[in-house]
Amino acid sequence: MGETKAKYHHLIPRTYLSAWEHGNGTLYIRFLDDKESVVERNKDNIAGITNYHSIVAGMPIVTKEDADKIFACLKDLEVHYGEAVVSDNLELNKIYYDFDNWTIQRKDGSAVSKKKLKAEIDKVKIRDIEELWSLKYEDAWGTVRSKLENSIFNSADGIISNANKEYLMKFYTA
């Protein structure tokens, strides 16, 4: 999967922040570490954590497919760990915590800069969880909220239909 907006996990759903936006999705924010100044920020880029659910090198939930993507830059190289040559990407993932003790070289035996390779490995983020969460829940909140508001404001007898009930129940029990 390519680059995605789903890499930013909102701790406060954007639909809740919408009530305070003043135009074009922007909010006035006062941060706790600088209570004197108020800054303007887009609700898409506030109250969240980047790559919160991303799968990265060294995580125990890395699958074979994930490991192959993460360690693709080592494809034509040899990784020596202790006395062994490690060529299985899942095994590399298991020992990634000890990357400093790896010896990496080309097939001809010449040394390779580990710093650049580590940066390449660390750059890979598997965002399946974020993308699915975004697709299934977060991106639909604006539409669901709008439908609920319309039902409430346009109800003549104070009763609204159970529209989006399944979606809302799954969201809070997921």
Side-chain angles (χ1 to χ4, degrees), residues 13-82:
R14 289 173 291 177
T15 193
Y16 297 152
L17 296 172
S18 295
W20 290 277
E21 72 181 53
H22 62 84
N24 248 3
T26 57
L27 308 162
Y28 291 118
I29 305 291
R30 178 176 290 140
F31 291 100
L32 294 175
D33 61 348
D34 184 10
K35 294 179 183 172
E36 300 303 314
S37 65
V38 175
V39 295
E40 190 174 15
R41 293 286 190 272
N42 187 294
K43 71 179 177 189
D44 290 340
N45 303 318
I46 193 75
I49 300 172
T50 302
N51 296 314
Y52 185 65
H53 293 293
S54 293
I55 298 169
V56 296
M59 292 181 91
I61 63 170
V62 168
T63 65
K64 174 72 172 137
E65 183 180 294
D66 296 340
D68 289 344
K69 289 177 189 174
I70 293 168
F71 297 104
C73 63
L74 302 176
K75 184 179 63 146
D76 296 323
L77 303 171
E78 282 185 355
V79 176
H80 296 259
Y81 184 68

Side-chain angles (χ1 to χ4, degrees), residues 85-143:
V85 174
V86 182
S87 56
D88 179 65
N89 287 333
L90 271 176
E91 188 60 32
L92 291 174
N93 186 66
K94 288 179 188 174
I95 61 173
Y96 190 66
Y97 71 92
D98 202 17
F99 183 85
D100 291 342
N101 290 314
W102 294 12
T103 303
I104 304 173
Q105 56 192 28
R106 292 178 189 84
K107 302 282 185 190
D108 66 6
S110 59
V112 178
S113 168
K114 288 179 21 179
K115 184 176 182 179
K116 187 174 181 180
L117 289 171
K118 184 162 181 25
E120 284 294 312
I121 293 167
D122 290 343
K123 192 166 49 172
V124 178
K125 311 278 190 271
I126 310 295
R127 296 192 176 103
D128 295 355
I129 297 168
E130 278 127 340
E131 288 175 6
L132 291 170
W133 177 268
S134 186
L135 178 69
K136 186 160 175 111
Y137 298 110
E138 193 167 8
D139 290 351
W141 260 115
T143 303

Side-chain angles (χ1 to χ4, degrees), residues 140-152:
W141 260 115
T143 303
V144 171
R145 177 177 177 234
S146 181
K147 285 180 184 177
L148 288 171
E149 285 176 343
N150 286 334
S151 294
I152 292 166

